[in-house]
Amino acid sequence: MKQFFTFLLLGLISISLVNCAKEQDKTNASTTEEIPFAIVIHGGAGIIKKEFISPEKEKEITNKLQESLDAGYAILNIGGTSLDAVQAAINVMENSPLFNAGKGAVFNSNGKNEMDASIMEGKTLNAGAVAGVQNIKNPINLARLVMDSINHVMLSGKGAELFAKKHHIKFEEDVYFYTERRWNSLMKVKEKKGEKLPIKNANNLSTNYVDDHKYGTVGAVAIDKNGNIAAATSTGGMTNKKFNRIGDSPIIGAGTYANNNTCGVSSTGTGEYFIRTLAAHETSNIVQYKNLSLKNALHEVIFNQIAPLGGDGGMIGLDKKGVVAWDFNTEGMYRGYKRSIGENVVKLYGE
Ligand code: ASP
């Protein structure tokens, strides 16, 4: 009898030791396989050089990029989705006059602000976009609404605005989008081309033009705790654009792309070239089929596909392991990233 109890006891001990070891294994496995969550953003590429930007402006831009990163990161940190994170990060930049999106959108040829935006989810390949919309405070919110609530991917112009009204999306008057800097840029481009100036403010125009030297579109890409990638882009397009011109930013595959199997990407630059090369989707394809790193894929698209056509700009992104990458063939690009493994970087110039 005594022997029987000794065997039973030994048996129980060994079972619990085996289970313990299994548990330990599981913990180790999940720690090593865990994907760091991360967010990467851009605020436009162009002739961004230290000598063109005052120390105060540099600080202002850096702080706003950090605020955008923090807004997105805070959502990821509490287990929120990458979609919500990119939207929040973009809202910060859309609400600032520093970037060419939302409040700071450039003027078209008629002296109006006409905006484009898109958003995509890498898990489902769902996407939403709006093009050529006016007076929408946060075009990225409208793009998200398109994605979430109807079976279309892209709405444009008056129809998109009607849809926005029906869904109580926030509108702002023209005056909200007026910034002297953008207006002066429009005047400068028009004067250079000998085009008629729009009426608004044309008489009391300061002769001291500030040239923007950059495109200024905003974008964000994030990966959340579940390994889901999302990407989004928002812009006022190009100064003096005509005939309801639409750029790459609202075009899924050109300005924005996200796929959990490869990467997420957001573009900025001369949109026509990003459309012609389907830059964001091309990057994803290169990662998938050529097995290149995201960094090398971005380089390939910008330097071997866009640049030879005469285009310039940059792209940001992150891959399915949360590795962040960017590249650009302009002097600089406003950009930054924040990762759960403790990295936080904000940069403006080429380096
Ligand atoms: N890519 C945008 C467009 O062509 C411009 C920009 O990036 O600032 O509309």
Side-chain angles (χ1 to χ4, degrees):
M1 196 64 177
K2 200 175 160 198
Q3 248 178 350
F4 170 76
F5 276 116
T6 316
F7 276 129
L8 189 64
L9 196 65
L10 282 173
L12 285 174
I13 289 171
S14 60
I15 286 170
S16 76
L17 278 175
V18 168
N19 280 343
C20 231
K22 276 187 187 161
E23 275 310 307
Q24 190 62 41
D25 267 343
K26 265 198 240 161
T27 326
N28 286 344
S30 69
T31 335
T32 47
E33 280 168 16
E34 206 166 84
I35 299 164
F37 57 92
I39 180 159
V40 54
I41 58 166
H42 70 76
I47 309 177
I48 299 169
K49 283 177 151 182
K50 212 170 171 61
E51 54 262 43
F52 295 143
I53 301 175
S54 68
E56 298 76 45
K57 209 22 133 214
E58 182 181 289
K59 198 159 178 236
E60 208 185 325
I61 296 163
T62 306
N63 288 346
K64 198 46 87 175
L65 290 171
Q66 187 63 57
E67 189 185 324
S68 165
L69 278 177
D70 291 344
Y73 189 88
I75 289 172
L76 298 173
N77 200 27
I78 55 166
T81 65
S82 50
L83 269 177
D84 287 344
V86 293
Q87 190 177 346
I90 288 202
N91 282 166
V92 170
M93 294 187 279
E94 283 179 333
N95 294 342
S96 160
L98 293 171
F99 309 97
N100 173 18
K103 176 156 182 56
V106 297
F107 288 97
N108 72 6
S109 167
N110 300 325
K112 295 273 180 206
N113 312 94
E114 213 173 55
M115 300 168 285
D116 304 329
S118 64
I119 189 163
M120 184 167 188
E121 180 180 48
K123 182 183 174 188
T124 56
L125 303 190
N126 276 341
V130 289
V133 293
Q134 293 186 11
N135 301 95
I136 304 288
K137 185 178 184 207
N138 295 106
I140 202 65
N141 296 359
L142 187 55
R144 174 80 187 266
L145 187 69
V146 170
M147 180 181 124
D148 287 347
S149 61
I150 46 174
N151 286 331
H152 302 316
V153 169
M154 188 192 285
L155 301 183
S156 69
K158 294 286 162 242
E161 289 160 23
L162 205 67
F163 174 76
K165 272 196 189 116
K166 260 181 92 175
H167 288 84
H168 311 292
I169 283 278
K170 191 146 176 45
F171 279 67
E172 291 288 354
E173 299 291 328
D174 285 353
V175 63
Y176 169 82
F177 298 94
Y178 177 84
T179 54
E180 199 183 2
R181 173 167 147 250
R182 298 297 189 202
W183 186 258
N184 286 350
S185 294
L186 176 66
M187 295 302 118
K188 185 175 181 180
V189 174
K190 284 202 173 285
E191 274 196 345
K192 244 192 216 167
K193 295 190 168 181
E195 291 176 11
K196 214 171 146 238
L197 304 185
I199 307 298
K200 191 173 156 194
N201 275 11
N203 292 332
N204 57 9
L205 186 68
S206 114
T207 46
N208 224 348
Y209 293 127
V210 183
D211 200 348
D212 281 332
H213 298 294
K214 69 176 191 68
Y215 301 113
T217 290
V218 306
V221 185
I223 184 164
D224 58 33
K225 286 184 177 175
N226 293 319
N228 289 323
I229 299 175
T233 312
S234 181
T235 190
M238 306 287 278
T239 300
N240 201 34
K241 63 184 180 183
K242 297 181 175 69
F243 314 119
N244 301 111
R245 177 263 189 193
I246 291 167
D248 60 316
S249 308
I251 297 180
I252 297 301
T256 302
Y257 195 70
N259 185 336
N260 275 8
N261 296 320
T262 55
C263 57
V265 173
S266 170
S267 318
T268 176
T270 29
E272 282 66 15
Y273 299 92
F274 288 77
I275 295 174
R276 288 164 61 194
T277 54
L278 273 179
H281 184 254
E282 179 71 355
T283 305
S284 168
N285 273 351
I286 292 174
V287 169
Q288 185 161 12
Y289 300 116
K290 276 196 168 176
N291 219 8
L292 291 191
S293 69
L294 176 59
K295 191 167 179 37
N296 289 341
L298 290 174
H299 191 82
E300 161 73 21
V301 173
I302 293 169
F303 286 88
N304 297 336
Q305 298 195 27
I306 291 173
L309 298 176
D312 62 358
M315 290 194 279
I316 57 155
L318 48 76
D319 68 14
K320 60 183 179 186
K321 294 201 166 128
V323 177
V324 168
W326 52 47
D327 211 341
F328 48 95
N329 68 342
T330 48
E331 279 77 358
M333 177 165 77
Y334 297 161
R335 61 205 187 276
Y337 66 86
K338 193 165 178 173
R339 300 176 76 206
S340 58
I341 57 170
E343 292 169 351
N344 186 91
V345 174
V346 173
K347 289 185 177 189
L348 311 189
Y349 312 111
E351 53 195 85

